[in-house]
Amino acid sequence: MNFRFVYEFGRIYGFNTIRRVASYIISSLLIPLSLLFILDIVSKGQLLPFAIVGGLTSIVVSNALLTMTDAANLRLQWKIQDLLAATKLGPTSYMFGLMLNNLFFALPGIALYIIIGLAYHLFTPLLFAAMVVILILLYIAASSIAFFASFFPEHIRAVWGYTQIISLILGLFPPIFYPYTLLPKDLLYVFLILPSTSASILIQNIFGLTPFFQPALYIFPIEVIICFILAAKFVSWRRK
Amino acid sequence: MDVIETNNLVKRYRDGHLALDRLNLRLDKKITMILGRNGAGKTTLLRILSTQLLPTSGTVRVLGYDIMKDVKRLRGKIVSIPQEVEAMGIITPYEHMQFYLLAREFPKEKIDGIITKTLKQLGLYDFRNKPSDLLSGGMKRKIFVSMALAADAELTFLDEPTVGLDPISRMEVWSAIKKLAGKVIITTHYMEEAKILGEEIALIDSGRLKMQGSPSDLLRSLKGLMRVEGLSKGKMKFKIGGTDISYLKSSEAVSYADRGYDVKQLDLEDLFLLGEVR
């Protein structure tokens, strides 16, 4: 792994872009604030804790999925991947660079949610640390899925369709903004194949919002490893 | 040892298109130009040689390394600038260079000096901190040529490096490329470029090697022929954009000059047409 490249790729392509185009900060804050607002109004404040932890999860997933459009754009439109293919850099360093880049875009939203969570006394240091670990692992898993999926479309416009589908599957259906207990048991087990489901359940569990669900604890790390291996080993870095 | 060695190299794309058809090529340490018309297979060849694309069959050795078995070692020794590579919008030329040199594992403390020197050489230094979106097409292209120069690899592949450049920028790039003498392979369809830079020319057509040699060797192979425009005669005749062109022996061609036909000495440009029939 070329750690210096990962850092510089994230800094140059992510941080510097945000620095130059301030509207990214506003747009990154608008979506979480809107979700928080809607959920708070609809549930009359009842689901606010879900809105806060769900909002954090949602930001992590949606920004991780941006890796797909970025990677596809760099491969299909700008041909930057072709440029890098003839270097010692492998897909793993490249993927982590893209992940760090998109993390910069997520940071304003994450910071906002953390401030709101602290204001509502939702976080203790231990719970917060546990949540951060889960979210980092979820970010790696979702980015890996996005990176892997980015290698299938042959045309840049096809990428948008794929991204919508994956966003829906990973970001909307799983119990991110609602208690997992509302899901029928059969459906819950089906949804468990998605890392965002097991991560959301674990986060709800550690904040005491829902009863402890042990399978999620075992399944989640396995999902992260499988997603990562899929992206690091099975992408065709060299074109066919 | 040949720098490039291909044996029966075949590339058939998934849509069935045959881009390289049992290509056998040997190149040694010179500025080598791979010449050919659009769709001749130049870019496909370069992408296979620079480990960006998998061949369908055949064997390829670059700098003595097998492109399938020794790919990791080979990638540390080559640079490839694809024809269609584009600058990343909001990122500056300086950042592009940083990004690329770090990918090539250059030590961070040396990068600034190398970038400054290269950008100055190609007339980009004054624009180093400008988002590349705001640069002209030619300047964007020069960012990537700068990357190749700065990387100073054992072997550099440049795919159509001067497309879209104005004459002055083109000369700047040529001057820079000359510094890579002995370790650069360039594809082009600009004859002027081939004449100025090419110590060795390989002419490819329909995925096969048609001719190879120094520019003077290739011109010598055309000795005794002349081009007659507006005439359709003999075996070597073509119709280009509605104009008939025939290649005739000089003695015969001269007689057509007396009859008002446009008769010309052959140049490397004629290789494109003659390459098809040879």
Side-chain angles (χ1 to χ4, degrees), chain B residues 141-153:
Chain B
R141 190 74 197 143
K142 283 205 282 185
I143 296 173
F144 293 98
V145 177
S146 306
M147 286 179 178
L149 285 180
D152 194 26

Side-chain angles (χ1 to χ4, degrees), chain A residues 184-196:
Chain A
K185 204 133 197 172
D186 294 345
L187 203 55
L188 172 64
Y189 282 104
V190 172
F191 280 0
L192 267 181
I193 59 167
L194 305 170
S196 46

Side-chain angles (χ1 to χ4, degrees), chain A residues 85-101:
Chain A
T87 68
K88 280 200 274 185
L89 191 85
T92 312
S93 299
Y94 181 65
M95 180 177 76
F96 272 100
L98 279 172
M99 279 164 58
L100 184 63
N101 147 66

Side-chain angles (χ1 to χ4, degrees), chain A residues 38-90:
Chain A
I38 291 167
L39 224 66
D40 195 33
I41 292 289
V42 169
S43 72
K44 297 191 172 95
Q46 294 277 305
L47 288 177
L48 191 67
F50 283 97
I52 295 170
V53 294
L56 263 172
T57 312
S58 170
I59 287 176
V60 164
V61 171
S62 57
N63 278 278
L65 293 181
L66 287 177
T67 299
M68 183 168 173
T69 39
D70 259 338
N73 193 41
L74 289 166
R75 179 172 69 91
L76 297 169
Q77 196 74 20
W78 291 343
K79 313 283 181 193
I80 296 294
Q81 192 188 310
D82 284 344
L83 181 81
L84 296 176
T87 68
K88 280 200 274 185
L89 191 85

